Structure formats: C-alpha cells, structure tokens
Amino acid sequence: MRNQIKTNSPTVLFLSFASVVQRSELHRQDMEALREITQFLSKSARLDLKAVSLTHVLGLTGSKDGISLISQCPELLANVVDLCADEADTIRKDAVLSLVNLSAEQDGAEALVKQFASKLVPMAYDAIMDENCKLADPWSMVLCNISRPEALVEAVLDELFKIEHAMERLTTCFTRVNYNKQKGHLNYLGPLFSNLSQSKRGREIICNENTDLLSRILPFVHHDGSIVRRGGAVGLLKNICFDSSVHDWLLGGAVDVLPFILLPVAGPEEFDDDTNDKLPVELQYLGPDKKREEDPDIRKMLLESLAQLCATRKGREYLRQRGTYEVLRELHKFECSPEGEKRVLVTCENVVDILIRTEDEIGEDNLKALDIPEDVISKIEKMDGENEQ
C-alpha cells in the first residue's frame, strides 16, 4: 500500500490552534502593557517616566503590528497627541515622531483622523507656519500621511478650511524654499497638496483663479533639490488633469501646463527647425546638457497627465500642434534603452497611440464619455497590472 501524505492531520491542526492561542495571548499581554504605560504618558507625569514610556511607544510604531496595537488604544493615542505640546523638547520630538510612524499605516492614520482630526490638523498647521519650529518637517509628514488615504481627505480638508487662508499660507511655506529658519525643508507639503487634490474640493481651491495656487506650485515639477517635493508637485498636476472640466484652463495662456509636463521628460535630443517652432518656447533648442527626469515614477505620472489631457478632441489637437508627439517619440527611444523602464514605456505608448490617430479614427470628442463595458474595464485593469509588474 502506498504511503499517503495526509492534509489537515490532527497534529498540524493542533499546532495551528496552539499558535493562534499563543498569538492571542501575546496580543492580550501587549495590550495590557500598553494600558499600564498609558498613565505615564500624561502631561502631568514625571519627565523620566514620560521619556521611558514614550521611547517604548516610539519603538512599537516601527512595526505594523505595533501600530495596529497602539491604534486600538484611544487613551494612549490621546496622551501621545497631548505630549506633542509638552514643555520638554525631547518629549515633543518623540511624540511627533511617533505620530509620523503611526500615520504611515492606514490603521494608524484612520485612528488619528477619526478621533483627533480637530486637534491634530491645527497643531500640524501651526507648527508648519512657525518658521522657527524645529519639528516643522515631521509635522508636515504627519499632515501628509493622514491625508494620503482617499477616505480621510475630506476630514483633513474640513479642518484646514476652518483655518482662514490655510491653503494659501501653506503654499507660501512650500514655495519659499528657505521658509523655515531651523533647517526644515517642508518638502512633504508637496505630497500633501497631491493628496488633497484627490478630492474635488481640494482641486477646486488649488485651481481657483483668484488664489492662483497651481501656478505657484507648478515650477516645482522640475525642482532638483528634492524628489519628494518634485514628486508631490507632479502628483498634484496629474490629479488635476483627471478633471476634464478644467482642461481648457490648464492648456490656456493663464496656466499653460504643457511645458511643465514636457520639459522634465525631454532629453538632449536635437529637433529640426520646423519641430522646434511647434514646441513650447521652454523646450526649444535645449542643448546637449539637458537631463531627462531620472525617476521613473515621476516620468510615468507626467505621461499619465498627458493621457488625461488627451480626453477631449480640443486637448488632443493642442498637444499635436505643440510638438508633444515628437518629444514622446524621443522619450520612447529612451525607455526602450537599458536606462528606461518597461512600465513607463507602456504608458508612453498609450499616449502616442492616441496622438498618432486621426480624429476620424478616434471618432469621439470626449473619450471619458465613452460607455465601456465592465468586462472590458476588468481586462484593461488586468493588463495594466501585468504591465506594472
């Protein structure tokens, strides 16, 4: 008789059950330990006890399991938030750093926003606005992190809108590179703007012609000093391009986003005079030392912005007239080289495929108005996922 490997054997089941019990017991012990140290995290506790307890909490926030545990302790969270305003510098620093780590995971971000948004957002805003605050950078990270999940954006915006001219003032901090006098860079305000633009309300205030916030942020799409700042500006641009109702304004003389999209993806390639005449002035005769955007994720976002601008016939015709195809043709060669990236190449080809078609072939004024069957959407998403991999 042949030997058989039995699945779900009693031994395996017993070990599996035992491990579950063990994990459950460890979880219970960890929760009890957190509840015990919560009392030492109050602002009135002795400094040495606060410091030791907060160091323990900060260590726990370095792992997903630790963040998950802390997120289930509202009293402890409340104390950590309070300690961000403690009299001692070291306590304030560790408390804010704990919030940075906590908010980096969605569980932690949700717990913080749902329970403390009305307190946390103004605290972060005030720290960022204070040009002498030594913790402005970590506070900007907290604000960035809690606004990253799309489900939390509205709650963050609600609190920001309660502060008069908050978005305008944050934009001023961002555009004045040396705003903070304590060597804070505030680069994470870039991703913050990108996160907020996931919301229609966020896009509306950034695209408000009276405040002109978008025009102030756009130059940072080719900021050499920080990939975080640059990526945030490009992410903002991409999100705004998804809204076809503002395409005419984006491509018009008041904003003219096309040079901001094309310049980073352009390289040192030379074009003939006829092509140069088509290109935006900023892209004409760039010279042999012109460097293309090095980060593939940023190049991909820029191409995705172009893809969105191709939604309408007017946008497609404008892009063709301004030499977009010629720039992408050279980018395509680069992405095919060892320096390029397959996922960027695929996105580039998608845009080129639209631009090289005639409008008769496309046969639709607004591509977003097309009614695409669900099964086709699923297939496209699957193909996109495979291309990403």
Side-chain angles (χ1 to χ4, degrees):
M1 185 175 178
R2 291 184 303 170
N3 291 324
Q4 292 181 322
I5 299 175
K6 296 182 179 180
T7 59
N8 296 327
S9 64
T11 304
V12 173
L13 286 173
F14 176 76
L15 289 174
S16 177
F17 177 73
S19 64
V20 169
V21 172
Q22 186 179 31
R23 286 197 299 271
S24 177
E25 178 63 20
L26 287 172
H27 180 272
R28 185 185 64 79
Q29 292 174 1
D30 288 337
M31 291 296 288
E32 288 180 358
L34 285 178
R35 292 190 186 98
E36 286 179 9
I37 68 169
T38 296
Q39 60 184 311
F40 304 125
L41 291 169
S42 67
K43 292 183 73 173
S44 59
R46 278 171 30 197
L47 179 60
D48 57 336
L49 294 177
K50 280 191 289 190
V52 172
S53 301
L54 197 52
T55 299
H56 179 65
V57 170
L58 180 57
L60 280 175
T61 62
S63 70
K64 288 186 178 182
D65 289 342
I67 291 172
S68 179
L69 277 173
I70 294 172
S71 300
Q72 299 171 53
C73 298
E75 188 179 349
L76 184 146
L77 277 176
N79 283 358
V80 173
V81 171
D82 285 342
L83 289 180
C84 291
D86 195 83
E87 294 178 355
D89 291 348
T90 55
I91 298 297
R92 288 200 304 273
K93 180 180 178 181
D94 282 355
V96 177
L97 292 180
S98 296
L99 294 187
V100 172
N101 290 349
L102 279 166
S103 58
E105 295 293 334
Q106 185 154 339
D107 286 350
E110 287 177 353
L112 289 171
V113 171
K114 289 178 180 178
Q115 299 173 60
F116 310 107
S118 61
K119 187 172 187 177
L120 204 58
V121 173
M123 287 177 72
Y125 173 82
D126 289 341
I128 293 167
M129 294 306 303
D130 182 358
E131 60 184 21
N132 290 307
C133 179
K134 295 180 180 179
L135 297 175
D137 271 346
W139 270 118
S140 68
M141 293 178 192
V142 171
L143 207 51
C144 173
N145 285 347
I146 62 175
S147 61
R148 187 172 64 249
E150 191 172 354
L152 303 181
V153 174
E154 293 296 339
V156 175
L157 279 172
D158 284 343
E159 299 306 323
L160 283 175
F161 283 179
K162 292 176 184 177
I163 305 170
E164 189 175 9
H165 304 304
M167 290 296 291
E168 292 91 328
R169 290 171 177 167
L170 287 172
T171 303
T172 297
C173 294
F174 179 74
T175 54
R176 287 172 55 187
V177 178
N178 297 316
Y179 177 86
N180 186 274
K181 307 304 181 187
Q182 301 297 326
K183 299 181 180 179
H185 302 294
L186 302 180
N187 291 324
Y188 280 86
L189 291 181
L192 169 65
F193 296 141
S194 177
N195 294 342
L196 297 178
S197 66
Q198 296 177 92
S199 159
K200 183 179 180 181
R201 282 198 301 164
R203 292 192 298 272
E204 284 176 348
I205 192 168
I206 290 170
C207 293
N208 187 310
E209 295 182 41
N210 295 323
T211 57
D212 201 29
L213 300 187
L214 181 61
S215 295
R216 294 169 62 188
I217 297 171
L218 275 177
F220 290 91
V221 300
H222 36 69
H223 178 73
D224 291 333
S226 166
I227 190 173
V228 173
R229 182 178 286 253
R230 190 165 74 248
V234 173
L236 166 66
L237 176 57
K238 186 191 80 168
N239 287 346
I240 289 174
C241 286
F242 268 87
D243 187 351
S244 56
S245 68
V246 296
H247 281 188
D248 287 352
W249 177 69
L250 290 175
L251 294 173
V255 183
D256 195 13
V257 298
L258 189 57
F260 293 103
I261 299 174
L262 292 182
L263 188 58
V265 298
E269 300 84 13
E270 294 184 8
F271 296 106
D272 58 37
D273 290 342
D274 289 341
T275 300
N276 271 307
D277 288 342
K278 290 171 62 178
L279 293 170
V281 174
E282 295 87 346
L283 280 89
Q284 294 178 8
Y285 306 102
L286 291 176
D289 58 344
K290 170 64 173 71
K291 292 184 179 180
R292 187 174 275 110
E293 169 59 55
E294 295 179 354
D295 186 80
D297 290 325
I298 292 180
R299 295 201 305 274
K300 187 172 183 292
M301 285 194 290
L302 290 163
L303 290 168
E304 288 168 343
S305 302
L306 285 175
Q308 293 305 314
L309 293 174
C310 287
T312 63
R313 177 171 184 159
K314 187 175 181 180
R316 294 188 294 271
E317 290 178 342
Y318 183 80
L319 265 56
R320 294 186 189 109
Q321 293 165 5
R322 301 296 297 277
T324 302
Y325 165 73
E326 286 79 1
V327 173
L328 296 190
R329 181 187 64 202
E330 300 305 318
L331 175 64
H332 186 272
K333 295 176 184 176
F334 171 82
E335 300 299 350
C336 287
S337 74
E339 297 178 84
E341 287 272 350
K342 175 67 181 297
R343 55 201 168 97
V344 184
L345 176 64
V346 171
T347 308
C348 181
E349 289 175 345
N350 290 340
V351 181
V352 169
D353 186 52
I354 296 173
L355 293 177
I356 62 176
R357 295 188 184 192
T358 66
E359 288 304 319
D360 288 339
E361 290 175 321
I362 294 174
E364 186 71 43
D365 182 13
N366 190 340
L367 297 179
K368 292 194 175 185
L370 288 173
D371 187 15
I372 305 175
E374 288 295 328
D375 62 322
V376 175
I377 293 176
S378 299
K379 290 178 182 178
I380 293 172
E381 290 176 346
K382 182 180 179 181
M383 290 170 62
D384 285 344
E386 291 172 352
N387 287 331
E388 285 289 329
Q389 294 175 3

